[in-house]
Amino acid sequence: MERSIQNIRLLGLDMINQANSGHPGIVLGAAPTLYALYQNHMIASTKHPLWFNRDRFFLAAGHGSALIYALLHCAGYDVPMEEIKRFRQLNSMTPGHPEYLHTPGIDATTGPLGQGLAMAVGSAIAEVYLRHLFNKDDLKVVDHYTYVLCGDGDLQEGVSLEAMSFAGHVRLNRLIILFDSNDVQLDGPTLNAVSEDIAKKVESVGFDYQCVADANDVLAISKAIAVAKKTDKPSFIEIKSVIGYGAKNQGTSSVHGAPIGREDTSRLRKLWDFNLNEFEVEQDVYADFREKFGARGSKLYREWIASLEAYAQRYPELHQCLMDIIHQKTRVDYAKITSIDPIGFKEATRNSSGKFLKVLSEEIPHLIGGSADLTASTKAKGINGNLSPSNPLGRNICFGVREHAMGAIANGMALHYLKAFASGFFVFSDYMKPPIRLAALMKVPTIFIFTHDSVGVGEDGPTHEPVEQLAMFRSTPDLITLRPADSNETRFALRYALESQNQPVLLALSRQDIQVMHQATYEDFLQGGYIASDRANYEGILIASGSEVEIAIKAQKLLEENHQIAVRVVSMPSMELFLRQPKHIQDHVLPPACQKRLAIEMGASGLWYRFAAHVKGIDSFGKSGKLEDVLEYFGFTPEAVANEYLGIR
């Protein structure tokens, strides 16, 4: 045991020294904690790292990547020594912070502090829901724990307390947080920044609290985890460690984020009696993990496969449903939600979305989510009641005013293959940028539903009126932003979001009613931009998204009736999807020969100049007033748009 821990520490130090970059403090301090977890409790399969019924581990303190890579290598995962040696190098399997699906054994992308802990809460929610949905007395096909290793920095981030507060509220008793408590952070002792009583803090939000006095006491850590697995609350185990344990500067902030160097590492090799070169691992260490962690995981994986076969025989419909979740399939009769509303139908797209979500939830048993205390406004609500300890099958999550955690919790559920959605006012997406960015980075299909998408909010004023948010999210790699023009495009937007398997989707929906002014197909919508209303011999093009498509089509009619000018109107619900189209499709919708174009959107104008030389946008903050007055003030009326077009020379 001791030799394995020391070898993991040394391997981690070798990685950091060779890269001349990394965080040795947590490698030296927390190695016994991870050893205790993986050797004595963690259930996973090195040959099947994405095994559905494995325990999940979230390294919230993602800067400790050298520690987890060293452990995964020793434990038998396909993380070869060649990749260990390439730590933090371009295109290596061992990047600076853990990345989901990039390295076998990594269950989430972490690094932004607090996100890993909050995602773990989502994973634990998914386990509770799926366990109660599928398990039978004779066959338990969903049965695992969610573990987190966090540090002081994680717990200082507000997102962590939001997430823990929610976890305690819904009593996620299979969530176990291991706190590497060393009283030091990058800028010095933690007392420079905090002086709270962590035990009282976590107990007050509904966690069971334990403290292990010495991180090097593997038996004590293992016993604490065993106790945690039997409680009826989520668990928090504070493990007192020494940052940079063994290094010359142990216990100080200097060992947090800078290599300790080969000289000090060599001293530790001699101190711990390791006659090995850099990047060497004793064969007994491999055997140690193989005989405990590896053997346990292999045995339980085989037993799970056998139980799954029996489950398929006894409960074929439930088995098919579980397989659909595991393989991320949604068997939906979209005809139920794709009957097209007629021209003239008028409804806010937030209302359309709410109606369709309810219908879809009846069809998709793993569609689950909620709003940040805004369900009455966003209309985004799950079915079967509120998730609670007494209703683990409730699919409406009352996140409360916890937008920061809500996004990360939704990501955790999506990592567990649920179709998870999180909803709020679009302007408050600012609170959710970190989890939305991480969803895109991980390529998980979390659904983010935002309403009140423009200055059309009206009386609430500029604090509640998004202006720059669309540009921010359209600029985020691997995120699809959809701003539907009416109830029909909203149907298509939700379908697209539900069919996505490897990227998150964001919907921006209106508060105000929008009239259906044109008809389109799902195939049109998938282009991202398509011809919504055309005219023969058109001289110019109006391009719009969302509620502005209605304004554009009405302006088109004014130009035709009052000035005998024919223009084409293009609806562009997604810039990203349009830019993915082959050139011939883009040129069909926006012919290069027609350069007289006006883009229209109640938001930042910058990105629209890719499609039009003239843009009617809003590059200032909004105003408080009645909807009609605000729209007239900013010039988003058919008359104002028509005049803007007439002014183009």
Side-chain angles (χ1 to χ4, degrees):
M1 176 180 72
E2 189 68 23
R3 298 292 288 179
S4 295
I5 294 170
Q6 308 296 44
N7 213 156
I8 289 170
R9 283 168 162 157
L10 290 170
L11 187 57
L13 292 179
D14 290 339
M15 296 166 69
I16 294 166
N17 289 336
Q18 177 144 311
N20 196 28
S21 174
H23 297 74
I26 189 171
V27 173
L28 291 166
T33 297
L34 284 199
Y35 181 87
L37 172 64
Y38 273 74
Q39 283 289 67
N40 299 325
H41 296 281
M42 188 82 177
I43 296 172
S45 169
T46 59
K47 290 185 173 60
H48 307 278
L50 294 179
W51 171 27
F52 186 74
N53 198 42
R54 71 189 184 279
D55 288 340
R56 268 61 170 184
F57 173 69
F58 291 79
L59 183 64
H63 56 273
S65 57
L67 171 59
I68 190 65
Y69 297 149
L71 183 142
L72 292 174
H73 170 81
C74 294
Y77 282 90
D78 186 18
V79 185
M81 186 61 77
E82 292 76 14
E83 294 297 329
I84 292 291
K85 292 178 180 178
R86 297 182 63 229
F87 177 58
R88 290 191 161 216
Q89 303 308 299
L90 184 64
N91 296 325
S92 76
M93 191 187 284
T94 49
H97 289 81
E99 297 180 22
Y100 177 61
L101 297 183
H102 188 80
T103 312
I106 297 299
D107 287 330
T109 299
T110 54
L113 293 178
Q115 291 293 317
L117 192 156
M119 283 190 284
V121 172
S123 175
I125 290 172
E127 192 277 338
V128 168
Y129 174 72
L130 294 170
R131 174 159 39 97
H132 285 85
L133 182 63
F134 289 111
N135 282 3
K136 300 296 181 181
D137 289 340
D138 55 339
L139 286 170
K140 293 179 171 54
V141 290
V142 181
D143 185 18
H144 55 266
Y145 287 83
T146 301
Y147 298 99
V148 182
L149 179 66
C150 74
D152 292 286
D154 290 292
L155 298 177
Q156 288 170 26
E157 291 283 3
V159 63
S160 295
L161 184 57
E162 285 185 12
M164 291 177 65
S165 172
F166 185 78
H169 173 67
V170 293
R171 299 180 79 88
L172 298 176
N173 65 311
R174 294 196 174 197
L175 171 67
I176 299 174
I177 297 174
L178 307 172
F179 170 34
D180 180 41
S181 176
N182 55 41
D183 302 318
V184 175
Q185 56 194 98
L186 182 59
D187 280 350
T190 55
L191 283 174
N192 291 343
V194 291
S195 53
E196 61 197 19
D197 186 322
I198 192 67
K200 290 180 180 177
K201 183 176 181 178
V202 301
E203 287 176 341
S204 73
V205 294
F207 273 67
D208 181 73
Y209 172 84
Q210 298 178 72
C211 184
V212 175
D214 181 5
N216 290 306
D217 190 342
V218 172
L219 181 60
I221 295 171
S222 188
K223 285 182 177 179
I225 295 172
V227 170
K229 289 163 75 173
K230 295 177 182 178
T231 66
D232 63 350
K233 299 177 181 180
S235 288
F236 185 96
I237 305 173
E238 182 175 10
I239 302 169
K240 299 302 296 185
S241 68
V242 176
I243 189 171
Y245 174 79
K248 287 182 178 178
N249 293 323
Q250 69 172 24
T252 70
S253 60
S254 66
V255 295
H256 169 80
I260 67 169
R262 284 184 163 89
E263 182 180 339
D264 203 9
T265 303
S266 179
R267 181 185 63 80
L268 288 175
R269 267 195 175 81
K270 292 177 182 176
L271 179 67
W272 295 334
D273 193 26
F274 272 84
N275 296 314
L276 299 174
N277 296 319
E278 289 185 344
F279 295 105
E280 282 194 57
V281 176
E282 291 183 339
Q283 291 304 309
D284 286 349
V285 173
Y286 292 127
D288 182 26
F289 275 98
R290 187 168 58 247
E291 291 166 6
K292 292 182 182 178
F293 170 71
R296 180 175 63 249
S298 295
K299 174 179 179 291
L300 292 174
Y301 177 79
R302 290 194 300 271
E303 291 177 359
W304 183 76
I305 291 296
S307 69
L308 205 58
E309 291 172 355
Y311 193 83
Q313 294 296 318
R314 295 182 208 176
Y315 312 104
E317 291 184 3
L318 282 173
H319 176 265
Q320 182 61 64
C321 181
L322 178 59
M323 290 300 100
D324 286 346
I325 292 172
I326 291 174
H327 297 298
Q328 299 189 67
K329 292 182 179 178
T330 52
R331 298 177 188 271
V332 178
D333 180 6
Y334 284 104
K336 288 190 175 183
I337 65 159
T338 53
S339 55
I340 301 300
D341 288 323
I343 299 289
F345 179 80
K346 200 168 187 177
E347 185 174 59
T349 53
R350 61 169 175 159
N351 292 337
S352 304
S353 171
K355 292 193 308 186
F356 305 147
L357 268 177
K358 188 175 187 303
V359 174
L360 285 163
S361 295
E362 300 289 351
E363 299 287 308
I364 305 172
H366 54 297
L367 179 56
I368 181 170
S371 298
D373 195 43
L374 288 168
T375 301
S377 292
T378 66
K379 315 300 180 185
K381 185 176 184 179
I383 65 171
N384 299 343
N386 298 333
L387 175 75
S388 69
S390 61
N391 185 23
L393 290 176
R395 285 197 268 158
N396 184 59
I397 301 181
C398 293
F399 286 106
V401 188
R402 300 185 182 100
E403 287 97 341
H404 298 273
M406 175 174 67
I409 290 170
N411 283 344
M413 292 190 288
L415 283 166
H416 213 301
Y417 303 149
L418 295 185
K419 285 294 181 183
F421 66 89
S423 183
F425 287 176
F426 195 29
V427 76
F428 300 134
S429 63
D430 291 349
Y431 292 162
M432 297 171 63
K433 178 58 163 58
I436 294 173
R437 185 177 189 274
L438 270 186
L441 186 58
M442 292 187 291
K443 293 181 170 57
V444 293
T446 316
I447 302 169
F448 299 99
I449 301 174
F450 293 110
T451 66
H452 297 59
D453 68 343
S454 73
V455 296
V457 170
E459 289 89 345
D460 277 336
T463 60
H464 283 54
E465 293 171 352
V467 174
E468 74 279 18
Q469 281 75 13
L470 278 166
M472 174 173 66
F473 290 116
R474 286 169 175 158
S475 301
T476 302
D478 295 317
L479 171 69
I480 295 296
T481 301
L482 304 175
R483 189 168 181 244
D486 55 26
S487 59
N488 294 324
E489 282 196 6
T490 304
R491 287 175 167 86
F492 301 148
L494 280 170
R495 177 176 178 178
Y496 182 87
L498 288 165
E499 290 180 341
S500 176
Q501 291 188 344
N502 58 10
Q503 63 186 164
V505 178
L506 183 151
L507 278 65
L509 306 174
S510 74
R511 177 201 186 198
Q512 73 273 31
D513 287 345
I514 304 175
Q515 186 175 351
V516 175
M517 299 292 293
H518 70 287
Q519 298 288 11
T521 66
Y522 186 51
E523 288 67 32
D524 292 330
F525 183 85
L526 289 178
Q527 291 183 179
Y530 64 91
I531 302 166
S533 180
D534 213 1
R535 293 291 185 270
N537 302 315
Y538 62 91
E539 67 157 51
I541 304 174
L542 302 179
I543 314 168
S545 79
S547 56
E548 289 83 286
V549 174
E550 176 186 349
I551 296 171
I553 293 177
K554 288 180 176 178
Q556 177 194 47
K557 292 179 179 179
L558 288 177
L559 289 168
E560 188 173 39
E561 293 169 2
N562 298 338
H563 302 280
Q564 294 73 55
I565 293 175
V567 297
R568 167 180 286 184
V569 175
V570 168
S571 175
M572 193 172 287
S574 174
M575 289 184 179
E576 306 92 279
L577 290 181
F578 185 70
L579 291 169
R580 288 182 180 180
Q581 301 307 309
K583 188 175 186 300
H584 73 273
I585 290 179
Q586 294 186 39
D587 288 350
H588 173 69
V589 176
L590 298 175
C594 182
Q595 290 299 312
K596 190 174 183 180
R597 304 175 187 174
L598 175 64
I600 310 152
E601 186 173 69
M602 290 186 273
S605 61
L607 295 181
W608 283 105
Y609 287 103
R610 289 182 292 186
F611 308 107
H614 304 274
V615 179
K616 184 169 186 58
I618 298 177
D619 293 310
S620 64
F621 290 116
K623 291 285 185 180
S624 178
K626 293 186 182 301
L627 170 64
E628 296 79 7
D629 294 342
V630 172
L631 296 186
E632 186 172 353
Y633 175 86
F634 284 107
F636 283 91
T637 65
E639 295 78 10
V641 169
N643 286 333
E644 186 103 4
Y645 179 84
L646 290 171
I648 295 176
R649 295 291 181 264

